[in-house]
Amino acid sequence: MTAVTTPADYTHRLLGLEGSTAVVTGASQGIGLAIAQALASAGADVIAVSHSMPEGDSDARTAVEEQCRVFTPLRCDFSSREQVAALAADLADREVDILVNNGGTIRRSPAADHSDEDFDHVMDVNLRTAFVLSCEVGRAMLERGAGKIVNTASMLSFQGGINVPGYTSSKSAIAGLTKALANEWAAGGVNVNAVAPGYVATANTLALREDPVRSQSILDRIPAGRWADATDIAGAVLFLCSPAASYIHGATLPVDGGWLAR
Ligand SMILES: NC(=O)c1ccc[n+]([C@@H]2O[C@H](COP(=O)([O-])OP(=O)(O)OC[C@H]3O[C@@H](n4cnc5c(N)ncnc54)[C@H](OP(=O)(O)O)[C@@H]3O)[C@@H](O)[C@H]2O)c1
């Protein structure tokens, strides 16, 4: 007798991640924490990476273990070439099915005053690390003929921004890197895409939210009429990591409350 397929089975096949291992960088807080929780809720074990990720109790551990999934914390400073190389080698040995390059930083100052140290730091953390981890983990994915990589882009992958020239450069390059890797790896069964969050209420945007003029002008321009919550972004990342997104390659998906449509 043929088994009956219920709508729930079908949804599960499209979005379920059981049996997979996901690496989420920048998983200590904010968007990365919400992504770790979303992937775990869909069935993935999670390797959570950040600069200060605790071995013991953490919000990330709670988020993953509450979903009855295996949690592995790893610590790495993305501004250190040596530490990133060591992390990449470690991850390449672990059969990673999903890599979410989410960890990131921002340095704010007018372009004329923006030091090259700040520029290099932001480029190293936001861009070079994503490249190095993607290459090491992606090589192993290609050998297995399957894998998902999702990078975290930004509205500043499309626009110039104000007082953040290093950040804008890094996020514009993330969109380019996403396309470059997708072109090479799509035929090998590896999906490389990016999510471009709009304005999300996290530590990254604290300075903006504390400036009443900037904060209001940003809010006034968002068609949805609110800042994003980290879970708004996590849902889109879950989709891009899932079988439902198997035919999507090289896309940078805005999750912006309509910001770019305006
Ligand atoms: N919030 C927004 O509106 C927004 C909009 C567009 C794009 N994004 C992007 O979304 C991503 C997550 O941002 P968020 O808003 O969630 O920021 P967040 O709350 O400040 O979290 C940043 C994460 O990145 C990690 N990180 C920062 N510097 C690091 C370093 N040197 N080495 C290793 N890890 C480091 C932090 O680790 P520790 O906590 O351990 O230091 C933390 O886990 C970033 O790529 C950001 O650019 C954010």
Side-chain angles (χ1 to χ4, degrees), residues 26-32 50-53 76-79 102-105 121 125-126 152-155 167 171 197-200 202-205:
S28 63
Q29 58 178 354
I31 295 170
S50 89
H51 193 187
S52 61
M53 181 62 67
C76 179
D77 179 357
F78 290 175
S79 67
N102 164 80
T105 194
H121 178 78
V125 172
N126 294 4
T152 306
S154 165
M155 291 298 94
Y167 185 82
K171 294 300 185 179
Y199 286 83
V200 191
T202 67
N204 174 291
T205 52

Side-chain angles (χ1 to χ4, degrees), residues 97-115:
D97 303 291
I98 294 165
L99 170 64
V100 182
N101 287 307
N102 164 80
T105 194
I106 194 162
R107 296 275 166 97
R108 297 179 192 276
S109 59
D113 303 326
H114 207 75
S115 69

Side-chain angles (χ1 to χ4, degrees), residues 209-230:
R209 286 179 291 119
E210 285 180 346
D211 176 338
V213 176
R214 283 294 308 279
S215 173
Q216 190 60 46
S217 75
I218 288 167
L219 188 60
D220 288 345
R221 195 193 180 284
I222 302 173
R226 65 172 177 88
W227 284 58
D229 182 81

Side-chain angles (χ1 to χ4, degrees), residues 108-131:
R108 297 179 192 276
S109 59
D113 303 326
H114 207 75
S115 69
D116 61 345
E117 287 84 4
D118 276 357
F119 187 90
D120 284 351
H121 178 78
V122 172
M123 293 294 275
D124 284 351
V125 172
N126 294 4
L127 178 64
R128 191 176 55 77
T129 297
F131 173 68

